[in-house]
Amino acid sequence: MKILVVEDERRLANYIRQGLTEAGYTVEIAHNGVDGLHAATTNAHDLVVLDRMLPGIDGIAFLKAFRGTHHTPVLMLTARADVDDRVTGLQAGADDYLLKPFAFPELLARIQALLRRRPHAEEAHVGAGTTLKLADLELDLLRRKVVRQGRRIELTAKEFNLLTLLMRRQGEVLSRTEIASLVWDMNFDSETNVVEVAVRRLRGKLDVPFDRPLLHTARGMGYVLEAREP
């Protein structure tokens, strides 16, 4: 899943990006309201984390412009603790509000709660909100741990993010372009084989040691993670 963070405090933005990336999300950053609104209205995101006070246009103006055409969940961050400010933000279109300073686990929990409310959210694949399962494969989002048939599988950060994407959308064929965008946050370059290399390495760890393959190639279309009948 891809999250847009619109935050002008670069240290805080990087802190949020690191935490969300480690939790398996792909993160795009904008450091002012104008760039953030442009990113939010031209790129696809599953959720927006929006600072209340921004250079360019502030969070309230962002929401008023954004909500006219988009229903993406928005979690607003603010240093203002008064009730009127929170009410103004919620009335402008924010779905939740979090006061600064905040603990990252609370931010992550609120994001997960907002994502679960979305139509067609992959709740059926999520056990206790933090574990993804497919056949004998389990992925723990919080502990960043992957286990198959009781055996721990060691993955790099990108391999973990790739597997998270495939498990969240298990049974769905994902193109190389979509995978490159959601895992590497890059526009796909036909000369780049980064996706093929990552899939080959992931398959070597995920499937080769076991009898039943889960990661399949859909020739000419992309890749799909699913449990097929022998």
Side-chain angles (χ1 to χ4, degrees):
M1 290 189 177
K2 190 170 184 177
I3 295 176
L4 172 64
V5 177
V6 188
E7 171 59 65
D8 62 320
E9 296 179 44
R10 291 177 181 268
R11 189 172 179 179
L12 177 58
N14 290 334
Y15 169 71
I16 295 173
R17 170 161 50 189
Q18 180 179 346
L20 291 178
T21 300
E22 290 174 354
Y25 297 98
T26 298
V27 180
E28 181 178 358
I29 298 286
H31 293 297
N32 62 65
V34 175
D35 290 346
L37 185 58
H38 176 74
T41 53
T42 56
N43 301 326
H45 303 92
D46 294 288
L47 184 142
V48 177
V49 177
L50 177 67
D51 186 27
R52 171 71 169 78
M53 300 300 294
L54 289 166
I57 59 174
D58 67 11
I60 299 300
F62 177 110
L63 280 170
K64 289 179 178 177
F66 184 60
R67 277 293 177 244
T69 54
H70 292 74
H71 301 287
T72 307
V74 175
L75 171 59
M76 180 166 274
L77 305 177
T78 183
R80 297 181 176 180
D82 57 280
V83 173
D84 288 344
D85 188 71
R86 295 200 298 273
V87 170
T88 299
L90 293 169
Q91 288 179 335
D95 296 279
D96 197 3
Y97 228 86
L98 183 60
L99 290 177
K100 297 179 180 178
F102 54 84
F104 182 78
E106 182 179 2
L107 173 67
L108 180 60
R110 287 175 181 268
I111 287 173
Q112 292 170 335
L114 288 174
L115 290 174
R116 283 197 298 271
R117 295 177 198 163
R118 295 183 319 151
H120 311 302
E122 299 86 346
E123 292 177 273
H125 304 309
V126 180
T130 61
T131 303
L132 305 175
K133 298 181 180 180
L134 173 64
D136 54 5
L137 177 67
E138 293 189 12
L139 183 150
D140 189 320
L141 291 167
L142 290 183
R143 296 180 178 83
R144 298 186 65 77
K145 179 181 177 182
V146 177
V147 174
R148 185 170 183 189
Q149 293 183 9
R151 293 164 56 181
R152 176 76 175 263
I153 299 175
E154 299 293 343
L155 300 178
T156 66
K158 284 300 182 187
E159 290 167 351
F160 186 90
N161 292 344
L162 172 59
L163 181 58
T164 299
L165 170 65
L166 291 166
M167 291 197 72
R168 285 186 184 280
R169 297 175 63 176
Q170 54 189 263
E172 179 180 348
V173 176
L174 301 179
S175 69
R176 291 187 302 159
T177 302
E178 188 171 12
I179 292 173
S181 172
L182 295 175
V183 177
W184 282 267
D185 195 21
M186 56 182 278
N187 294 320
F188 190 70
D189 179 350
S190 59
E191 300 299 320
T192 299
N193 66 346
V194 62
V195 175
E196 289 88 340
V197 171
V199 168
R200 183 167 63 248
R201 289 176 175 170
L202 178 61
R203 181 176 279 144
K205 298 178 180 180
L206 190 69
D207 282 344
V208 171
F210 303 94
D211 295 332
R212 187 182 181 188
L214 297 175
L215 180 52
H216 307 277
T217 299
R219 192 172 301 279
M221 295 186 287
Y223 303 96
V224 57
L225 189 77
E226 62 183 0
R228 296 177 177 175
E229 294 299 323

